[in-house]
Amino acid sequence: MLCFSLCLFLRKFNRQHYNGSSMKDKLLRRITITMAKDRDKFIADELKEIRNQCEGLEGIQLVTCVPDAVAMIIKKTDFKQLKLRLMFPSHYPNEPIISELNSKTLSEKLLDGLQKVCDDECKKFIGNVQVMKMLHFVNKFLEDHKLCVCSSEIAYVKKELLKDCDEVKLRQKTSQIIIKAQQEKYFLNFKLTIPEDYPKTQVQLEIIDHNFPELLKVNFEAQAVEYARQCVQPPLRKKPGDPPFQPKPSMLPVCKYLIGECVKNYPLQKCPMCFCYVLPQNPPEEVSKEKQVERVYCGHLYHHSCLAAYMKKPPFIGGKKCPACGKRIFHEKWKITPELAEARWAHKQARDRELEEVKDFMA
Ligand SMILES: [Zn+2]
Ligand SMILES: [Zn+2]
């Protein structure tokens, strides 16, 4: 009986309420319209708030602020800047805002990483205003990650220059990179500080520790600083037709030199004269003056006695050449002209002949 009357009631109800377009559809449409109105009102209120709040913010430029999207440029330095575009989805604020990052200067890999973090972060703000929260989030990320200006250089160093035995530590807060690179029994531990307006200003180098001969360490440091300087200062003699000078990032050239050319190379280098390893095999082994290392202009290493003997032997025309690379040898300790070397050689030969004659005479 109960079943029967329930059936009748339902049939009556359906006749009354579901004639023509269904009640359900009407209801849904009404809810959707109300929600869309709510959404538009919510966004309009938020846009007003954004315009007010952005006005006094340093380094933030509001480019677009319309119901479709909000776009702003966050600029810390000429290099550290990006454009953040936020688009309101159809169920905003009940679903996360859609963000998009662009930068002409920061690396794509860094932006991809930041994009993923942003996509996660905006989920936290569902049901609430999201634009300014996302802006503060990205702004703080740039502030906290001081090394983001050289993220692609760091990636290259890790991938191409360092091996498993080496170490690299990133200090985002102090904008420093600490690297310990080794080869055989030799190591070099150094610190690079990335200045605020990098790459306009060169990276700062400090050698923390090492076990190379002191003379080489001085050389490493001076040469690395010189490479960094060349990245940010125009050459003294400008060639006509050269494009205007643009400062270049100096972190990678310094690392390529210190790691690639020095640490990974010198412990394996052999003297071009005697073909033995130039550096002692067990540092910090004391060596005699003859076996001490001399570094010539081209960068090749020699034993002191090997180089001394080579520099005194002809041919001298056009200067003595490095047998390893063919470049002319320049060295503080052997700063004589080919003519003088020739004259000295002739003088020594004459003396040796005289001595031989004396010996013959005495025999
Ligand atoms: Zn030698
Ligand atoms: Zn050479």
Side-chain angles (χ1 to χ4, degrees):
M1 183 63 197
L2 184 73
C3 264
F4 180 72
S5 51
L6 195 66
C7 275
L8 272 180
F9 169 76
L10 276 175
R11 214 177 288 164
K12 204 174 152 197
F13 182 86
N14 277 344
R15 259 203 312 275
Q16 275 178 3
H17 295 274
Y18 287 91
N19 276 344
S21 67
S22 75
M23 168 75 172
K24 205 169 139 201
D25 285 354
K26 266 189 188 167
L27 207 65
L28 265 177
R29 203 177 309 146
R30 181 169 282 170
I31 292 171
T32 315
I33 293 167
T34 320
M35 275 176 69
K37 272 189 188 161
D38 283 354
R39 175 189 180 271
D40 292 350
K41 167 94 172 61
F42 189 93
I43 292 174
D45 288 349
E46 187 172 352
L47 292 177
K48 216 155 108 193
E49 195 60 24
I50 294 165
R51 280 187 214 106
N52 282 341
Q53 288 189 15
C54 274
E55 217 152 86
L57 287 180
E58 208 193 313
I60 309 288
Q61 188 199 337
L62 192 60
V63 188
T64 317
C65 192
V66 293
D68 277 344
V70 175
M72 34 208 157
I73 292 171
I74 307 176
K75 184 176 176 182
K76 297 276 156 208
T77 66
D78 284 347
F79 203 80
K80 203 191 280 185
Q81 61 170 303
L82 59 77
K83 189 173 177 186
L84 171 66
R85 204 173 125 85
L86 297 159
M87 286 148 286
F88 301 102
S90 48
H91 299 297
Y92 188 79
N94 295 320
E95 58 180 331
I97 201 159
I98 303 155
S99 60
E100 194 183 273
L101 300 163
N102 274 300
S103 174
K104 284 185 188 140
T105 44
L106 297 173
S107 84
E108 229 166 82
K109 211 173 153 192
L110 178 93
L111 291 180
D112 281 352
L114 181 54
Q115 179 76 65
K116 279 190 195 111
V117 188
C118 281
D119 292 346
D120 276 347
E121 186 66 18
C122 56
K123 287 179 196 152
K124 292 182 191 166
F125 313 132
I126 291 178
N128 220 319
V129 286
Q130 299 178 25
V131 174
M132 288 312 282
K133 285 178 182 160
M134 286 311 290
L135 168 69
H136 288 308
F137 176 73
V138 175
N139 195 31
K140 188 157 177 1
F141 180 93
L142 291 182
E143 243 163 51
D144 289 350
H145 295 79
K146 295 201 163 56
L147 297 172
C148 67
V149 284
C150 55
S151 63
S152 55
E153 291 179 275
I154 295 171
Y156 183 95
V157 169
K158 282 186 182 169
K159 192 164 172 260
E160 305 291 335
L161 300 177
L162 297 176
K163 304 271 180 308
D164 288 345
C165 59
D166 304 315
E167 286 166 31
V168 57
K169 285 180 200 153
L170 306 181
R171 301 262 186 269
Q172 296 284 0
K173 282 214 170 80
T174 50
S175 195
Q176 287 171 334
I177 305 159
I178 298 161
I179 295 176
K180 187 178 179 185
Q182 41 197 334
Q183 181 71 49
E184 308 307 295
K185 290 178 181 168
Y186 284 89
F187 75 90
L188 182 71
N189 192 357
F190 61 98
K191 183 164 79 185
L192 298 172
T193 308
I194 308 296
E196 180 64 27
D197 60 348
Y198 185 84
K200 262 190 197 162
T201 305
Q202 74 199 62
V203 63
Q204 299 295 309
L205 166 70
E206 184 193 325
I207 293 189
I208 302 168
D209 198 10
H210 72 100
N211 63 352
F212 283 87
E214 195 56 30
L215 190 101
L216 271 189
K217 175 243 167 183
V218 173
N219 244 306
F220 291 172
E221 205 169 7
Q223 190 65 59
V225 170
E226 172 58 15
Y227 282 143
R229 188 198 64 77
Q230 286 171 11
C231 290
V232 300
Q233 281 177 19
L236 287 176
R237 265 182 244 148
K238 197 176 167 281
K239 285 183 208 139
D242 271 0
F245 181 80
Q246 284 287 336
K248 288 182 284 291
S250 50
M251 183 258 174
L252 190 55
V254 166
C255 286
K256 274 188 180 169
Y257 172 69
L258 285 178
I259 303 168
E261 285 184 48
C262 298
V263 182
K264 299 288 175 191
N265 173 29
Y266 284 146
L268 301 172
Q269 215 180 85
K270 291 180 175 175
C271 169
M273 306 315 303
C274 69
F275 306 110
C276 295
Y277 286 111
V278 194
L279 291 176
Q281 293 300 284
N282 289 302
E285 187 183 327
E286 280 296 317
V287 289
S288 62
K289 189 169 186 293
E290 285 76 39
K291 291 284 169 205
Q292 268 173 20
V293 180
E294 299 291 356
R295 184 180 177 275
V296 296
Y297 180 73
C298 60
H300 282 109
L301 302 183
Y302 291 74
H303 291 122
H304 176 83
S305 58
C306 294
L307 184 61
Y310 180 62
M311 293 306 280
K312 284 179 201 155
K313 254 195 222 142
F316 300 108
I317 299 157
K320 298 292 291 179
K321 305 275 187 331
C322 170
C325 66
K327 285 188 187 144
R328 187 166 166 186
I329 293 180
F330 290 99
H331 195 292
E332 277 294 302
K333 291 179 191 164
W334 290 274
K335 264 205 289 192
I336 55 169
T337 60
E339 294 72 26
L340 184 60
E342 194 80 57
R344 278 192 189 162
W345 170 256
H347 181 73
K348 187 177 174 291
Q349 290 295 97
R351 254 186 70 89
D352 288 352
R353 266 200 309 278
E354 273 170 30
L355 282 174
E356 283 302 310
E357 278 167 25
V358 174
K359 260 193 231 163
D360 285 348
F361 180 76
M362 303 288 280

